[in-house]
Amino acid sequence: MTILIPQPEFGIEVEKKEVPNTEKELILDGGFVVPDANAFGHNFRDYDAESERQAGVETFYKNNHINQTYDFVKRMREEYGKLEKVEMSIWECCELLNDVIDESDPDLDEPQIEHLLQTAEAIRKDYPNEDWLHLTALIHDLGKVLHHPKFGTLPQWAVVGDTFPVGCAFDESIVHHKYFKENPDYNNPSYNTKFGVYEEGCGLDNVLMSWGHDDYMYLVAKENKSTLPSAGLFVIRYHSFYALHRAGAYKYLMNKEDEENMKWLRIFNKYDLYSKSKVRIDVEKVKPYYLSLIQKYFPEKLRW
């Protein structure tokens, strides 16, 4: 059953920019304070900045863009869509992420549990009545357990990073686009046109996305009968689809429901990106609240 929710009102999206000396912070719609630099002192999502992680991030995207093919995604969806790796609760999965560092992220090198709670708490402060969005923020990256030994230790290029459609042309707005030239689909006439295997307005739910934690967590939530609204599932599956929600690419594949849900994804994305910091969250203090949301929207144990 699809659950529709009222759409938000919000202002102009905050874009990455140099911050004047007289203005060290930006403000998001709900009052969240945006820092002027990431944990390494650079602009957020600056993939060209020279930092201790820049070379590793570029190598990651080279491997990602070469190997994420239409056939590969179909195989991964078939294998992991069976949800037969393990049975555990949402919170147990959160704790499993404690040792995971995202090699594709130029902004932060903290354990994932820190980022999940930073994002959730920032949204909770500004949108206190949208408890589904608080929980969505907490669980949006849980699919990164694909890198854990219990899930086969998939390489990070098959777990994290910006996502993009496969089965059609790779848009030039995708970060480190040059490496797609080594992808087998790049010169395949079935997959290298604007629409490829899709039709205009077909809806993103009918589009295969590059395989990783986003699509996997979407499958976990959907197949375990989560009662999150459609906007929550949309945020989970497309929160790393920066070519769409930052550059406006691939809009011709969207349908009306996608367009409505995009309003919430744009809100979420600002918190997902800009809440990354060295500020620590008292896990035990906020845990009871999130356990109550998990109980509300998910079964006690999930198949993964």
Side-chain angles (χ1 to χ4, degrees):
M1 177 179 66
T2 299
I3 303 175
L4 299 178
I5 54 176
Q7 297 303 318
E9 297 289 338
F10 55 95
I12 299 174
E13 182 174 356
V14 176
E15 299 290 340
K16 179 182 72 175
K17 63 180 181 180
E18 294 293 333
V19 180
N21 293 331
T22 57
E23 184 182 22
K24 292 297 183 182
E25 296 174 329
L26 301 173
I27 305 296
L28 292 188
D29 304 324
F32 175 69
V33 178
V34 178
D36 64 334
N38 65 18
F40 300 99
H42 300 291
N43 286 334
F44 286 91
R45 287 182 58 81
D46 187 346
Y47 290 93
D48 298 316
E50 294 185 4
S51 73
E52 59 190 272
R53 302 200 67 199
Q54 190 274 335
V57 170
E58 183 163 352
T59 298
F60 162 86
Y61 274 108
K62 179 178 181 179
N63 292 326
N64 175 276
H65 292 353
I66 292 174
N67 292 289
Q68 290 275 2
T69 66
Y70 185 78
D71 289 341
F72 170 76
V73 171
K74 289 183 68 176
R75 291 198 309 271
M76 291 295 99
R77 274 196 136 223
E78 181 178 355
E79 176 182 350
Y80 285 90
K82 296 175 183 176
L83 303 181
E84 56 185 18
K85 299 297 182 182
V86 69
E87 185 175 286
M88 62 180 170
S89 69
I90 290 288
W91 193 263
E92 286 172 332
C93 189
C94 290
E95 294 177 334
L96 203 60
L97 284 185
N98 271 334
D99 297 326
V100 175
I101 301 286
D102 186 340
E103 292 179 359
S104 72
D105 193 342
D107 297 324
L108 194 64
D109 61 355
E110 294 292 332
Q112 292 300 303
I113 188 67
E114 295 289 330
H115 168 55
L116 298 179
L117 287 171
Q118 288 169 353
T119 306
E121 284 296 283
I123 291 176
R124 181 184 175 189
K125 179 180 179 181
D126 291 347
Y127 295 89
N129 297 322
E130 310 295 344
D131 67 353
W132 65 270
L133 191 57
H134 312 162
L135 181 59
T136 298
L138 178 72
I139 69 173
H140 76 282
D141 275 346
L142 291 190
K144 291 179 180 180
V145 292
L146 287 172
H147 188 58
H148 193 276
K150 288 185 177 181
F151 293 80
T153 319
L154 283 182
Q156 289 227 359
W157 62 260
V159 179
V160 296
D162 287 11
T163 59
F164 44 87
V166 293
C168 60
F170 303 115
D171 191 82
E172 292 187 359
S173 64
I174 302 170
V175 63
H176 292 306
H177 178 273
K178 58 186 177 183
Y179 294 118
F180 282 121
K181 293 180 180 180
E182 299 179 58
N183 185 304
D185 291 354
Y186 188 81
N187 293 310
N188 188 326
S190 296
Y191 303 140
N192 65 5
T193 61
K194 178 179 178 178
F195 293 105
V197 299
Y198 309 112
E199 296 180 357
E200 185 172 8
C202 63
L204 294 180
D205 196 44
N206 294 306
V207 173
L208 282 185
M209 301 295 295
S210 53
W211 177 251
H213 71 280
D214 312 64
D215 203 24
Y216 179 57
M217 189 59 210
Y218 165 78
L219 292 175
V220 169
K222 184 178 180 180
E223 296 304 317
N224 280 282
K225 310 300 181 185
S226 169
T227 56
L228 283 173
S230 62
L233 297 178
F234 188 90
V235 166
I236 291 170
R237 191 176 191 223
Y238 305 110
H239 70 270
S240 301
F241 190 4
Y242 280 88
L244 172 66
H245 53 75
R246 297 281 285 192
Y250 300 106
K251 285 185 176 180
Y252 45 82
L253 297 176
M254 297 171 64
N255 60 23
K256 185 174 179 59
E257 185 175 2
D258 294 331
E259 293 171 358
E260 291 300 308
N261 286 334
M262 271 294 294
K263 298 174 184 179
W264 283 106
L265 179 55
R266 289 193 180 99
I267 285 178
F268 172 84
N269 177 250
K270 288 181 272 188
Y271 293 86
D272 183 26
L273 176 60
Y274 295 116
S275 65
K276 298 173 183 177
S277 70
K278 294 293 185 179
V279 176
R280 306 303 294 269
I281 301 293
D282 187 337
V283 178
E284 293 305 313
K285 182 178 179 180
V286 301
K287 182 178 178 179
Y289 174 70
Y290 290 101
L291 287 178
S292 70
L293 297 187
I294 293 169
Q295 184 178 27
K296 179 178 179 179
Y297 290 103
F298 280 93
E300 182 177 355
K301 292 287 186 179
L302 283 71
R303 294 178 296 112
W304 299 78

